[in-house]
Amino acid sequence: MFGLTVAFAFLDAYAIGANDVSNSFATSVGSRSLKLWQACCIAIFTEFLGAVLLGASTTGTIKDGIISLAMFDTRQDLLMSGFMCALIGSSSWVMVATRFGWPVSTTHSIVGAIIGVGIVAFGTNAVNWGWDNKGVAQIVASWVVSPAVAGVLAVIIYGLTRQFVLKAKNPLRAGIYAIPVYFTITTFIVTFYVASKNGKSTLKVTSAYMGAPIVFTGDVVLCMIVVGSVTGFVLLFTTVFAIPYFIRKLEKEEDLKWYHLFYIFAVPTQPKNVNLERQLTLQFTPHLLEDGSVEDEDRVIPEPTKNNDDTTDSHKITDVIKKGLKGTIELAKKGLFMDVASVQSESGREAHSHATLYDNKVEYLFSFLQVMTAAFASFGHGSNDVANAIGPLAAVYDLWSTGQVNKDANVQLWMLALGGFAIDCGLALYGWRIMINLGNNLTYHSPSRGFAMELGAALSVITASFLALPVSTTQCIVGATVGVGLMNGNLKSVNWNMISWTLFSWLLTLPIAGLSAGCLFALLTRGPSF
């Protein structure tokens, strides 16, 4: 049972990488700020390091108190098999949803699976159906709250950007001077999110305000130090180095390289880049080229298949091995080098035709912001959501090794490493399915739009955590994408066909994950034994 749990915990983490992590990079890849292989390379480090370095030493094995552990005090074997079945049900549903390109909440999937196990084991009374302690009512409410909050915030961010930068008298100069402001605000938000979620210090500092004691825990002190230091450094760096770099590169059109940014004052005047406009058009709006030529250096051309008439057993075995290796290589190529931004459905192309386009030089500025927000979101995701797969595994490991039921189970380093590695594999090999829909077919993506979507989703998660509102990161990015898409002033600029399928998959997550896990648990615990 422990061995099966390890295997399906790996599959669940793989599914999280293919579905959930793809949300972090879908807008960056869809807007062509990053190529798919570049997004995967960044995520390999951010997800794995986030899981291993900032993954909590203990994690709640029953997500959000959804069922009571006290009911399993005398039946540790039921709890152990229940967690195994929950991982099987959750991972299976997320993999099915990923196959159809549906962005679903992996947290809701594991919670739904645990609900199914709890009902089969002890009836409906074992489940927290109410609002308190993050019960089922909060999960249902999050289907509306998450996308609504993120959509409003993303609309505000993009609306301000469009008014004061994209529609300014000199959009490029306005964008260049706005870079330090945007980078500073973005850095503050993402570092505050990561630091506040993962601080581990126990230091306490006591102060007083109007006679009432105020206690700042070590987490708050550490958060303030980290956020202040990083934000101040970014403000200074972008003001001193980024502004002159972009003035020379985009206004004067000097042929500068990316590494010139770090010593821009020592770089002599470079020759003019006469191909700058075409390069930016190829990167962001290749469909506008009159000659129709698109330089796709990442296109994967499949090799022609060869017929082999040799039917000996040894050659058959060799052929099977070769085909397996070839299939794995082709899968890796597809997962790393597919140009997902060019894969569009008919409804997706219709939505793109109603989008307003802006200067590619200004969009180029926002591509750097997109990369930063995506990387930080991925880092925070690796440190937090890996618990969806590793939490149940930690519980089974404790039960298997000690025979005791604990609300908090110790998470071993090898578990975090396993989860981080599986998440990376899921994104690299199968994440393109979600990116095709969320990063391209939902609405038109550009770097300025994608930046607003990512920052709006991240800000909504932080805001909701302080207001005690239930949110899902997956549903936040979907809501932010729809909100920015509607800013085009036309309902047709959003692919409502894709939206309907996405909402349908959200409604199916709890019942299908719960039903599959519950039925399997019933079969294992109440079926005939031999």
Side-chain angles (χ1 to χ4, degrees):
M1 190 178 294
F2 172 65
L4 285 175
T5 304
V6 172
F8 279 98
F10 183 91
L11 180 61
D12 199 34
Y14 180 94
I16 290 173
N19 198 297
D20 229 16
V21 181
S22 299
N23 301 332
S24 301
F25 290 96
T27 52
S28 297
V29 176
S31 66
R32 300 179 186 271
S33 294
L34 286 174
K35 293 179 181 178
L36 184 55
W37 69 268
Q38 292 172 329
C40 291
C41 289
I42 294 175
I44 284 174
F45 292 99
T46 54
E47 289 286 337
F48 185 81
L49 292 177
V52 174
L53 298 180
L54 294 181
S57 58
T58 60
T59 183
T61 55
I62 299 291
K63 291 294 294 180
D64 302 328
I66 204 69
I67 61 175
S68 175
L69 276 174
M71 296 184 175
F72 291 92
D73 282 344
T74 59
R75 293 301 305 271
Q76 292 89 345
D77 55 334
L78 287 182
L79 184 60
M80 188 173 180
S81 59
F83 277 125
M84 182 189 71
C85 294
L87 280 174
I88 295 174
S90 173
S91 59
S92 300
W93 164 243
V94 176
M95 285 300 295
V96 170
T98 305
R99 170 62 183 82
F100 289 101
W102 298 337
V104 297
S105 172
T106 55
T107 302
H108 293 176
S109 181
I110 189 66
V111 168
I114 292 175
I115 289 175
V117 170
I119 292 175
V120 172
F122 299 105
T124 56
N125 292 331
V127 180
N128 176 14
W129 299 102
W131 184 271
D132 296 335
N133 198 23
K134 297 182 181 179
V136 177
Q138 280 200 10
I139 295 175
V140 175
S142 72
W143 297 340
V144 177
V145 175
S146 297
V149 172
V152 170
L153 291 173
V155 164
I156 293 174
I157 295 170
Y158 182 68
L160 294 174
T161 301
R162 187 176 65 175
Q163 183 65 33
F164 295 105
V165 177
L166 299 176
K167 289 186 175 183
K169 291 182 179 180
N170 188 342
L172 181 56
R173 178 55 66 96
I176 291 175
Y177 282 111
I179 279 293
V181 177
Y182 277 111
F183 264 98
T184 302
I185 294 175
T186 304
T187 302
F188 173 80
I189 292 173
V190 294
T191 53
F192 179 80
Y193 173 70
V194 173
S196 63
K197 286 291 184 181
N198 298 285
K200 299 294 185 290
S201 174
T202 58
L203 175 68
K204 291 186 178 181
V205 179
T206 305
S207 180
Y209 177 71
M210 296 181 66
I214 301 176
V215 178
F216 295 94
T217 64
D219 293 349
V220 177
V221 175
L222 179 63
C223 179
M224 289 179 179
I225 295 174
V226 171
V227 173
S229 301
V230 175
T231 303
F233 172 78
V234 170
L235 176 60
L236 180 63
F237 180 84
T238 52
T239 302
V240 176
F241 292 95
I243 290 179
Y245 173 82
F246 287 118
I247 288 177
R248 292 177 59 178
K249 182 177 180 64
L250 299 178
E251 281 193 349
K252 299 180 181 180
E253 297 187 352
E254 293 184 34
D255 190 13
L256 295 173
K257 306 302 180 184
W258 64 270
Y259 49 82
H260 289 155
L261 171 66
F262 301 99
Y263 58 98
I264 187 62
F265 296 107
V267 178
T269 302
Q270 300 294 304
K272 185 176 181 178
N273 184 3
V274 295
N275 295 319
L276 179 61
E277 290 288 350
R278 180 174 175 82
Q279 290 171 355
L280 294 177
T281 302
L282 280 171
Q283 181 176 356
F284 299 120
T285 53
H287 59 284
L288 298 181
L289 290 175
E290 294 181 359
D291 57 6
S293 62
V294 177
E295 299 171 6
D296 187 2
E297 62 184 38
D298 293 333
R299 181 176 298 171
V300 178
I301 302 176
E303 298 179 359
T305 57
K306 298 180 180 179
N307 293 326
N308 190 353
D309 296 331
D310 196 332
T311 57
T312 61
D313 290 341
S314 60
H315 281 81
K316 285 182 178 180
I317 296 174
T318 303
D319 288 344
V320 170
I321 296 175
K322 287 182 177 179
K323 289 180 179 179
L325 291 175
K326 185 178 179 180
T328 304
I329 294 173
E330 290 299 324
L331 182 63
K333 285 183 178 180
K334 195 172 187 179
L336 293 174
F337 299 112
M338 173 180 282
D339 184 13
V340 299
S342 64
V343 181
Q344 289 181 316
S345 63
E346 187 62 34
S347 55
R349 278 192 292 270
E350 174 66 17
H352 282 211
S353 65
H354 295 280
T356 304
L357 303 182
Y358 297 99
D359 187 359
N360 282 329
K361 288 184 178 180
V362 183
E363 296 288 2
Y364 177 77
L365 295 171
F366 286 95
S367 63
F368 292 89
L369 287 166
Q370 263 203 292
V371 174
M372 186 176 72
T373 52
F376 271 98
S378 175
F379 190 80
H381 178 275
S383 63
N384 289 285
D385 285 12
V386 70
N388 291 338
I390 301 306
L393 172 61
V396 171
Y397 177 77
D398 266 14
L399 288 167
W400 175 64
S401 57
T402 67
Q404 297 178 355
V405 180
N406 298 313
K407 183 177 181 180
D408 292 321
N410 291 323
V411 180
Q412 306 295 320
L413 181 61
W414 66 266
M415 297 180 187
L416 296 173
L418 177 73
F421 176 71
I423 286 176
D424 290 339
C425 291
L427 175 65
L429 299 179
Y430 217 47
W432 58 271
R433 286 197 174 274
I434 296 297
M435 289 188 184
I436 285 177
N437 288 332
L438 193 56
N440 190 50
N441 275 318
L442 214 56
T443 189
Y444 176 74
H445 282 65
S446 65
S448 59
R449 290 177 171 89
F451 162 71
M453 295 171 190
E454 292 174 359
L455 189 59
L459 189 58
S460 65
V461 173
I462 298 173
T463 304
S465 65
F466 284 103
L467 299 178
L469 296 175
V471 295
S472 163
T473 54
T474 299
Q475 293 161 0
C476 281
I477 192 63
V478 172
T481 302
V482 174
V484 173
L486 291 175
M487 288 291 287
N488 290 299
N490 193 329
L491 290 176
K492 294 182 179 180
S493 61
V494 176
N495 184 358
W496 296 107
N497 182 44
M498 187 66 222
I499 292 294
S500 62
W501 279 108
T502 301
L503 294 176
F504 179 65
S505 66
W506 293 354
L507 295 176
L508 291 179
T509 297
L510 280 181
I512 288 187
L515 187 63
S516 57
C519 289
L520 180 61
F521 181 74
L523 180 65
L524 291 179
T525 58
R526 303 188 181 187
S529 58
F530 302 94

